[in-house]
Amino acid sequence: ALESELVQLQSVANASAAPAKTIQAPEPKKHSKSPLAGLKLNLEPKSPADLVPALAMLKGLYEDGKERIGKLNAKEKEAKKKFEEKQALHDQRLQVIEARFKNGTLSADFRTNETRDEDRLWNYWEKVRERQHKQFHTSLKIQHGTL
């Protein structure tokens, strides 16, 4: 009797119930496509032939590193040359200031001011060169570390 009443209540509830709203799970976030997608990489190599792609990649990395080191050396050589040119120009300017002072066309105060200004400018370029050279060594260490 009790069982028949439950079946009857269930049938009435199913018939009279409005269609329930279906709750959909939120769509999973779409991840950006991996740069390795589509490549057939063997992550568990079983033979030396499975390592050939990795070897080719490492050889390419090594060659790129050597090329970058060559470029760094060339850039350092060029920077050193420019610095030497600036040093020669600085020395020449100091000589001009001294010559003008000796021939009487420049007073002692102006000589002091011009020498101080020229020295201040030269100190700036010395620090620039020092930072540049330190950056060269740092870049070289990084490149050698990747080889």
Side-chain angles (χ1 to χ4, degrees):
L2 186 58
E3 196 174 304
S4 64
E5 285 180 21
L6 287 174
V7 170
Q8 192 178 19
L9 279 174
Q10 189 177 12
S11 65
V12 170
N14 286 343
S16 67
K21 293 181 181 177
T22 56
I23 299 174
Q24 294 181 353
E27 289 186 30
K29 293 181 180 178
K30 295 182 180 179
H31 296 283
S32 60
K33 198 169 188 177
S34 169
L36 299 176
L39 295 176
K40 296 187 180 192
L41 296 176
N42 187 357
L43 299 178
E44 294 182 25
K46 305 266 190 268
S47 70
D50 294 340
L51 295 172
V52 170
L55 179 64
M57 181 193 67
L58 289 173
K59 283 184 177 179
L61 186 64
Y62 182 76
E63 290 302 318
D64 286 346
K66 285 188 348 184
E67 184 179 324
R68 283 192 188 108
I69 289 171
K71 286 180 181 177
L72 283 171
N73 286 329
K75 206 172 190 180
E76 172 67 8
K77 189 176 182 180
E78 183 180 319
K80 187 176 183 179
K81 181 182 170 192
K82 284 183 181 179
F83 179 74
E84 288 171 353
E85 290 172 1
K86 286 192 183 299
Q87 187 173 16
L89 187 61
H90 167 71
D91 293 339
Q92 181 184 0
R93 286 181 182 157
L94 288 178
Q95 288 174 355
V96 167
I97 292 169
E98 286 302 314
R100 288 175 54 203
F101 175 70
K102 284 182 181 175
N103 73 13
T105 59
L106 193 64
S107 70
D109 290 337
F110 277 109
R111 172 186 171 223
T112 305
N113 286 344
E114 287 195 22
T115 304
R116 184 186 61 229
D117 290 346
E118 183 60 33
D119 286 341
R120 185 171 6 136
L121 193 60
W122 174 244
N123 286 334
Y124 166 78
W125 284 113
E126 280 182 321
K127 289 176 185 172
V128 166
R129 174 67 183 136
E130 187 179 313
R131 285 191 303 267
Q132 199 174 40
H133 188 65
K134 189 172 184 177
Q135 182 66 38
F136 163 73
H137 276 289
T138 303
S139 299
L140 209 56
K141 287 177 190 175
I142 290 170
Q143 282 305 312
H144 279 289
T146 60
L147 294 183

